[in-house]
Amino acid sequence: MPKGASRSKPLELQHKALLFVASVLVKTFLMVLVSTQMVCGSSDPRALFQCGPSAAYVGGSAAAVAVMGFAFAHYIIRLKSFNRIFATMMGADFIVTAMYFVVAFIEPGLVAAKTMIWLFGTWILGMLLAPFESERRIWKKLSQYGGIAALGALFTLHFIPGFAEMGSSYTVGMMVSSILAVFGGGRQK
């Protein structure tokens, strides 16, 4: 490496696009899973074909997430304010997406509505806030890891019968912790 060269190279445009496409594809599949649960009453893939005219709602919601994600990706991968934070922000986004994905597979009935709310733009809100204060590493690390830990705790409480009935307070907590995790991921290394 030549003297004076930066140790951390920014990701190329094609690599950013590939990472974002992977994220949007996983989110679109997750939307199919939870909207099938909500509209058809089961997350079994065969339920989608037995759902009749309601299957159009599943397709429409999945298409909405895909179009929204790809349109957002078209601009976010080109913005210079995301160049230095893109890798850490996407890392936090993948962790949060994986948490929603795992819980939606284990118990889709419990989290289907909350996951749909998150998929309809809350994850984009976290990414839009990510470039702010990217230099304050301690604050951003606390919000990222604290948000991930809080989201994990809220998902865990869903499986405890006494806490599962407190639905709306969980929804707010899950949305805030999801936003904080991605916001905190938007920091320079």
Side-chain angles (χ1 to χ4, degrees):
M1 182 174 273
K3 189 175 183 178
S6 175
R7 288 187 182 260
S8 65
K9 293 182 180 180
L11 290 172
E12 292 181 18
L13 189 64
Q14 294 88 356
H15 293 132
K16 285 190 210 179
L18 186 62
L19 284 172
F20 222 98
V21 164
S23 175
V24 171
L25 287 176
V26 169
K27 287 176 176 68
T28 303
F29 182 73
L30 181 58
M31 179 54 98
V32 169
L33 178 73
V34 295
S35 60
T36 302
Q37 173 68 35
M38 292 290 291
V39 174
C40 302
S42 173
S43 61
D44 185 11
R46 292 173 292 201
L48 183 61
F49 298 108
Q50 299 167 354
C51 200
S54 298
Y57 293 113
V58 174
S61 53
V65 168
V67 167
M68 181 176 55
F70 289 130
F72 180 64
H74 179 73
Y75 293 105
I76 200 169
I77 62 174
R78 289 173 172 77
L79 291 174
K80 296 207 184 303
S81 60
F82 286 92
N83 282 347
R84 299 185 75 183
I85 64 168
F86 191 83
T88 54
M89 179 190 71
M90 288 306 291
D93 179 58
F94 275 118
I95 290 171
V96 170
T97 303
M99 292 172 84
Y100 275 99
F101 201 77
V102 167
V103 174
F105 259 109
I106 293 172
E107 199 60 50
L110 287 176
V111 295
K114 295 166 182 55
T115 305
M116 288 181 81
I117 292 169
W118 175 69
L119 286 169
F120 277 124
T122 307
W123 62 280
I124 290 177
L125 180 61
M127 287 185 183
L128 288 174
L129 295 174
F132 294 105
E133 298 184 26
S134 63
E135 296 291 331
R136 297 192 179 182
R137 295 184 183 151
I138 298 299
W139 166 246
K140 296 281 257 186
K141 280 184 182 181
L142 282 174
S143 63
Q144 178 187 2
Y145 298 126
I148 289 171
L151 184 61
L154 289 169
F155 277 139
T156 303
L157 288 176
H158 263 294
F159 296 108
I160 300 172
F163 292 103
E165 288 87 30
M166 304 173 78
S168 62
S169 61
Y170 277 116
T171 304
V172 173
M174 288 168 67
M175 296 307 115
V176 169
S177 59
S178 299
I179 291 171
L180 282 177
V182 178
F183 164 76
R187 67 180 188 282
Q188 299 175 14
K189 290 186 178 182

Tab-separated table of all heavy atoms in Angstrom, residues 13 16-17 20-21 24 66-79:
chain	number	residue	atom	x	y	z
A	13	LEU	N	-19.558	1.603	-6.357
A	13	LEU	CA	-20.986	1.757	-6.599
A	13	LEU	C	-21.668	0.412	-6.854
A	13	LEU	O	-22.756	0.156	-6.341
A	13	LEU	CB	-21.196	2.707	-7.783
A	13	LEU	CG	-22.611	3.153	-8.066
A	13	LEU	CD1	-23.138	3.982	-6.897
A	13	LEU	CD2	-22.664	3.968	-9.339
A	16	LYS	N	-22.036	-1.494	-3.550
A	16	LYS	CA	-23.119	-0.912	-2.749
A	16	LYS	C	-24.474	-1.362	-3.290
A	16	LYS	O	-25.361	-1.733	-2.521
A	16	LYS	CB	-23.044	0.609	-2.777
A	16	LYS	CG	-21.981	1.221	-1.954
A	16	LYS	CD	-22.254	2.701	-1.925
A	16	LYS	CE	-21.045	3.527	-1.794
A	16	LYS	NZ	-21.337	4.946	-1.801
A	17	ALA	N	-24.612	-1.308	-4.603
A	17	ALA	CA	-25.882	-1.714	-5.213
A	17	ALA	C	-26.177	-3.178	-4.925
A	17	ALA	O	-27.312	-3.542	-4.618
A	17	ALA	CB	-25.848	-1.454	-6.713
A	20	PHE	N	-27.320	-3.557	-1.326
A	20	PHE	CA	-28.671	-3.044	-1.136
A	20	PHE	C	-29.707	-3.947	-1.792
A	20	PHE	O	-30.790	-4.160	-1.240
A	20	PHE	CB	-28.781	-1.609	-1.674
A	20	PHE	CG	-29.568	-0.724	-0.787
A	20	PHE	CD1	-28.945	0.110	0.110
A	20	PHE	CD2	-30.949	-0.742	-0.813
A	20	PHE	CE1	-29.677	0.912	0.955
A	20	PHE	CE2	-31.681	0.056	0.023
A	20	PHE	CZ	-31.057	0.885	0.911
A	21	VAL	N	-29.391	-4.491	-2.963
A	21	VAL	CA	-30.313	-5.413	-3.625
A	21	VAL	C	-30.528	-6.653	-2.757
A	21	VAL	O	-31.663	-7.127	-2.604
A	21	VAL	CB	-29.797	-5.791	-5.030
A	21	VAL	CG1	-30.504	-7.012	-5.582
A	21	VAL	CG2	-29.970	-4.622	-5.972
A	24	VAL	N	-32.878	-5.682	0.056
A	24	VAL	CA	-34.259	-5.494	-0.399
A	24	VAL	C	-34.900	-6.838	-0.754
A	24	VAL	O	-36.086	-7.057	-0.469
A	24	VAL	CB	-34.307	-4.507	-1.587
A	24	VAL	CG1	-35.687	-4.464	-2.214
A	24	VAL	CG2	-33.908	-3.109	-1.127
A	66	ALA	N	-40.565	-3.908	-2.495
A	66	ALA	CA	-39.497	-4.014	-3.493
A	66	ALA	C	-39.304	-2.695	-4.245
A	66	ALA	O	-38.169	-2.221	-4.387
A	66	ALA	CB	-39.806	-5.144	-4.469
A	67	VAL	N	-40.380	-2.097	-4.694
A	67	VAL	CA	-40.277	-0.840	-5.443
A	67	VAL	C	-39.733	0.270	-4.546
A	67	VAL	O	-38.849	1.043	-4.950
A	67	VAL	CB	-41.651	-0.458	-6.048
A	67	VAL	CG1	-41.661	0.967	-6.562
A	67	VAL	CG2	-42.018	-1.422	-7.156
A	68	MET	N	-40.248	0.349	-3.329
A	68	MET	CA	-39.776	1.364	-2.392
A	68	MET	C	-38.295	1.168	-2.089
A	68	MET	O	-37.519	2.137	-2.080
A	68	MET	CB	-40.606	1.271	-1.102
A	68	MET	CG	-40.261	2.257	-0.040
A	68	MET	SD	-41.378	2.133	1.379
A	68	MET	CE	-41.240	0.430	1.831
A	69	GLY	N	-37.870	-0.055	-1.877
A	69	GLY	CA	-36.466	-0.331	-1.588
A	69	GLY	C	-35.552	-0.031	-2.749
A	69	GLY	O	-34.495	0.586	-2.578
A	70	PHE	N	-35.945	-0.427	-3.949
A	70	PHE	CA	-35.090	-0.184	-5.113
A	70	PHE	C	-35.043	1.300	-5.470
A	70	PHE	O	-33.994	1.807	-5.879
A	70	PHE	CB	-35.534	-1.018	-6.307
A	70	PHE	CG	-35.245	-2.481	-6.139
A	70	PHE	CD1	-36.226	-3.432	-6.359
A	70	PHE	CD2	-33.994	-2.918	-5.749
A	70	PHE	CE1	-35.963	-4.775	-6.200
A	70	PHE	CE2	-33.713	-4.267	-5.586
A	70	PHE	CZ	-34.709	-5.196	-5.805
A	71	ALA	N	-36.165	2.009	-5.324
A	71	ALA	CA	-36.156	3.451	-5.583
A	71	ALA	C	-35.273	4.177	-4.568
A	71	ALA	O	-34.502	5.078	-4.921
A	71	ALA	CB	-37.577	3.996	-5.536
A	72	PHE	N	-35.367	3.775	-3.302
A	72	PHE	CA	-34.536	4.368	-2.262
A	72	PHE	C	-33.068	4.038	-2.506
A	72	PHE	O	-32.191	4.901	-2.374
A	72	PHE	CB	-34.997	3.842	-0.902
A	72	PHE	CG	-34.229	4.364	0.260
A	72	PHE	CD1	-34.246	5.712	0.581
A	72	PHE	CD2	-33.478	3.511	1.043
A	72	PHE	CE1	-33.526	6.188	1.659
A	72	PHE	CE2	-32.763	3.976	2.118
A	72	PHE	CZ	-32.792	5.321	2.425
A	73	ALA	N	-32.786	2.813	-2.913
A	73	ALA	CA	-31.405	2.386	-3.174
A	73	ALA	C	-30.797	3.153	-4.329
A	73	ALA	O	-29.599	3.464	-4.315
A	73	ALA	CB	-31.360	0.893	-3.465
A	74	HIS	N	-31.600	3.472	-5.323
A	74	HIS	CA	-31.099	4.204	-6.484
A	74	HIS	C	-30.447	5.521	-6.073
A	74	HIS	O	-29.447	5.927	-6.656
A	74	HIS	CB	-32.245	4.458	-7.469
A	74	HIS	CG	-31.841	5.227	-8.678
A	74	HIS	ND1	-31.075	4.672	-9.679
A	74	HIS	CD2	-32.081	6.501	-9.041
A	74	HIS	CE1	-30.863	5.581	-10.614
A	74	HIS	NE2	-31.470	6.692	-10.257
A	75	TYR	N	-31.007	6.163	-5.063
A	75	TYR	CA	-30.456	7.449	-4.621
A	75	TYR	C	-29.421	7.307	-3.510
A	75	TYR	O	-28.430	8.015	-3.494
A	75	TYR	CB	-31.588	8.376	-4.178
A	75	TYR	CG	-32.451	8.775	-5.342
A	75	TYR	CD1	-33.707	8.219	-5.519
A	75	TYR	CD2	-31.993	9.677	-6.285
A	75	TYR	CE1	-34.488	8.561	-6.607
A	75	TYR	CE2	-32.764	10.026	-7.374
A	75	TYR	CZ	-34.017	9.465	-7.524
A	75	TYR	OH	-34.767	9.801	-8.604
A	76	ILE	N	-29.648	6.395	-2.596
A	76	ILE	CA	-28.768	6.322	-1.426
A	76	ILE	C	-27.361	5.832	-1.787
A	76	ILE	O	-26.392	6.251	-1.170
A	76	ILE	CB	-29.381	5.465	-0.304
A	76	ILE	CG1	-28.717	5.790	1.018
A	76	ILE	CG2	-29.229	3.995	-0.587
A	76	ILE	CD1	-29.413	5.213	2.210
A	77	ILE	N	-27.236	4.993	-2.789
A	77	ILE	CA	-25.892	4.521	-3.140
A	77	ILE	C	-25.085	5.598	-3.843
A	77	ILE	O	-23.867	5.493	-3.942
A	77	ILE	CB	-25.939	3.236	-3.998
A	77	ILE	CG1	-26.638	3.471	-5.325
A	77	ILE	CG2	-26.567	2.101	-3.229
A	77	ILE	CD1	-26.589	2.287	-6.275
A	78	ARG	N	-25.732	6.649	-4.311
A	78	ARG	CA	-25.027	7.735	-4.996
A	78	ARG	C	-24.729	8.929	-4.092
A	78	ARG	O	-23.925	9.785	-4.459
A	78	ARG	CB	-25.837	8.186	-6.198
A	78	ARG	CG	-25.837	7.164	-7.314
A	78	ARG	CD	-26.778	7.543	-8.428
A	78	ARG	NE	-26.640	6.669	-9.570
A	78	ARG	CZ	-27.118	5.457	-9.662
A	78	ARG	NH1	-27.766	4.934	-8.648
A	78	ARG	NH2	-26.958	4.720	-10.742
A	79	LEU	N	-25.375	9.010	-2.951
A	79	LEU	CA	-25.158	10.158	-2.059
A	79	LEU	C	-23.791	10.058	-1.394
A	79	LEU	O	-23.438	9.028	-0.823
A	79	LEU	CB	-26.255	10.228	-1.000
A	79	LEU	CG	-27.646	10.596	-1.508
A	79	LEU	CD1	-28.656	10.476	-0.385
A	79	LEU	CD2	-27.661	11.988	-2.084
